[in-house]
Amino acid sequence: MEKLLSSWSSTVKSLPESYVFPVDARPGDMTVPFCDTIPVVDLENALACDRHDAVQQILRACQDYGLFQVINHGVDNDLLHDTMSVVQEFFDMPNEDKATVYSEDPSRKCRLYTSTYDYENEKVHLWRDNLRHHCCPIDDFIHLWPQKPTKYRDVVREYSLQVGKLSARILDLICEGLGLGPGFFGDELTGVELFSANHYPPCPNPSLALGLPKHCDANLITFLLQDEIYGLQVYRNGEWLGVQPIHNAFVVILGHQAQVPSLHINWAGIGSMHVISNGKLISPEHRAITNSTNHRTSIVYSINPKPESIIEPAKVLINESNHALYRAFQFKEFLKSYEVKKDYNEGALEDYKIRV
């Protein structure tokens, strides 16, 4: 428990050396502009007006950015507020109340830890504490979730159900746009749902540290709920751009497996969606910065393939003029090599590319 940032970060005035990133990876002091062109999809209004136009709007966002913000998405706004509040309350609790879920064992299905799953061996630590647990099927895992705050399980259960339904809607629209047919993203490709809450305390020197480093998501698709504190940045056309938090919006981020299905390893990944779409959809590189004055909380809900599932370009997208860019592989195979190589960006897929 003493490793948790929440245990000691408020008592230090300078950044410990073990949290200082290399010069080429740290954020530095440069001002990063907000990206005002990231698509914002008003889901209910778009679907009510013209379903085809809504499909194309989402498809273009996935092709050009690999992410978009979605509003009027059907998840109850009061539930969003309650979920963020109960998560913040969890991180604010004294250590003795969080001790039952703290673990340094990465195989635990529910655990609180700091930095990454490999704290003892990593070269530099991340400025974040993380609570993550499995959510699907809920009844198989809810008994492992935190018992405090007392309303945590009820609130997060309902949140998981509603975001799970939203993910199915968004994936169906992406299927439609790619011409994959309804139900393509079935249970094998979406059967693992993970709830992951990041807590970023104020940092003594935000120019040297990171909450999360530059990475692509290894999963299929992510739904990110931010609080009002800015911290998400996306790497686009050779520069970092800020993603402005929008109240009650989700940031939807495609994973490597979408470039066709993907696997999820704790905090980073190279996307399944990129593979499945045979490179038509992109998995954006992004990171989380820190700040010196405010606590920041973000909630990640990720949709992942089952370990045994086969990840490969969708066959309907392959023909004589569009050859497969990646070989078929099991998600667990990808995760294993991902752990060994520790390449959280485009290099994570190098071993699966088909050489012409």
Side-chain angles (χ1 to χ4, degrees):
M1 293 289 287
E2 69 277 357
K3 294 176 184 174
L4 289 174
L5 285 175
S6 56
S7 299
W8 57 267
S9 62
S10 62
T11 66
V12 298
K13 296 188 177 177
S14 61
L15 187 69
E17 191 65 28
S18 60
Y19 288 85
V20 176
F21 269 74
V23 174
D24 61 347
R26 65 183 61 161
D29 294 317
M30 292 183 61
T31 300
V32 171
F34 285 113
C35 181
D36 56 8
T37 59
I38 290 176
V40 178
V41 177
D42 185 333
L43 188 60
E44 292 302 328
N45 286 339
L47 289 174
C49 294
D50 186 331
R51 181 179 177 88
H52 176 75
D53 183 66
V55 167
Q56 293 305 309
Q57 188 179 355
I58 289 174
L59 188 64
R60 284 194 300 271
C62 294
Q63 291 171 329
D64 296 341
Y65 290 85
L67 83 166
F68 57 92
Q69 301 215 53
V70 60
I71 59 175
N72 292 330
H73 37 63
V75 179
D76 186 79
N77 287 341
D78 288 339
L79 179 61
L80 299 181
H81 175 269
D82 291 347
T83 305
M84 183 62 71
S85 294
V86 79
V87 165
Q88 291 171 337
E89 186 180 348
F90 170 83
F91 284 113
D92 287 342
M93 293 191 308
N95 278 354
E96 53 267 27
D97 289 336
K98 295 181 285 194
T100 56
V101 291
Y102 178 82
S103 175
E104 297 180 15
D105 177 4
S107 68
R108 286 273 297 269
K109 299 300 185 183
C110 175
R111 73 185 191 107
L112 170 67
Y113 61 99
T114 193
S115 191
T116 79
Y117 68 97
D118 198 24
Y119 182 91
E120 295 300 334
N121 298 312
E122 61 196 20
K123 294 180 180 179
V124 59
H125 300 319
L126 305 182
W127 193 262
R128 68 125 188 205
D129 292 335
N130 179 264
L131 170 68
R132 72 189 299 268
H133 53 70
H134 285 243
C135 295
C136 182
I138 286 179
D139 289 342
D140 287 358
F141 298 108
I142 194 169
H143 67 284
L144 302 174
W145 297 1
Q147 293 180 285
K148 294 182 179 180
T150 54
K151 60 184 178 181
Y152 181 94
R153 292 181 177 180
D154 288 340
V155 171
V156 175
R157 176 192 176 95
E158 184 60 27
Y159 179 88
S160 301
L161 290 171
Q162 291 199 24
V163 179
K165 290 178 181 177
L166 173 62
S167 72
R169 295 179 71 194
I170 296 294
L171 287 172
D172 279 347
L173 294 171
I174 293 174
C175 275
E176 197 170 325
L178 289 173
L180 300 182
F184 179 88
F185 293 108
D187 185 59
E188 286 300 306
L189 298 180
T190 61
V192 178
E193 299 180 16
L194 297 171
F195 180 96
S196 176
N198 294 306
H199 175 64
Y200 307 100
C203 177
N205 194 333
S207 68
L208 301 179
L210 282 169
L212 288 174
K214 181 182 180 183
H215 69 281
C216 300
D217 287 344
N219 57 3
L220 183 64
I221 194 167
T222 292
F223 291 80
L224 172 66
L225 180 66
Q226 305 188 82
D227 63 11
E228 71 279 5
I229 306 300
Y230 157 66
L232 175 64
Q233 295 181 342
V234 60
Y235 194 67
R236 179 171 170 80
N237 297 329
E239 66 174 334
W240 286 105
L241 299 169
V243 180
Q244 181 74 55
I246 297 177
H247 186 57
N248 290 335
F250 285 102
V251 183
V252 181
I253 306 173
L254 299 189
H256 276 308
Q257 311 311 307
Q259 286 175 107
V260 184
S262 99
L263 314 177
H264 183 87
I265 289 199
N266 283 295
W267 53 272
I270 305 306
S272 304
M273 191 67 80
H274 175 75
V275 175
I276 292 170
S277 69
N278 204 39
K280 294 182 182 297
L281 309 183
I282 64 173
S283 179
E285 294 176 311
H286 53 288
R287 69 183 182 184
I289 60 168
T290 64
N291 73 83
S292 60
T293 55
N294 296 303
H295 292 265
R296 176 174 178 261
T297 303
S298 68
I299 299 173
V300 174
Y301 200 88
S302 66
I303 309 299
N304 308 267
K306 292 181 176 179
E308 306 290 338
S309 62
I310 300 297
I311 307 304
E312 62 181 341
K315 290 179 173 57
V316 70
L317 302 178
I318 306 304
N319 53 49
E320 289 186 2
S321 57
N322 293 287
H323 298 286
L325 300 179
Y326 300 93
R327 67 172 176 85
F329 56 90
Q330 282 190 315
F331 192 52
K332 66 180 181 181
E333 174 191 354
F334 173 79
L335 288 181
K336 183 177 181 180
S337 65
Y338 186 82
E339 288 179 340
V340 172
K341 293 176 66 175
K342 298 190 185 303
D343 186 334
Y344 308 123
N345 301 290
E346 288 303 323
L349 289 174
E350 276 299 313
D351 292 344
Y352 308 100
K353 288 182 178 178
I354 295 176
R355 311 296 175 185
V356 179

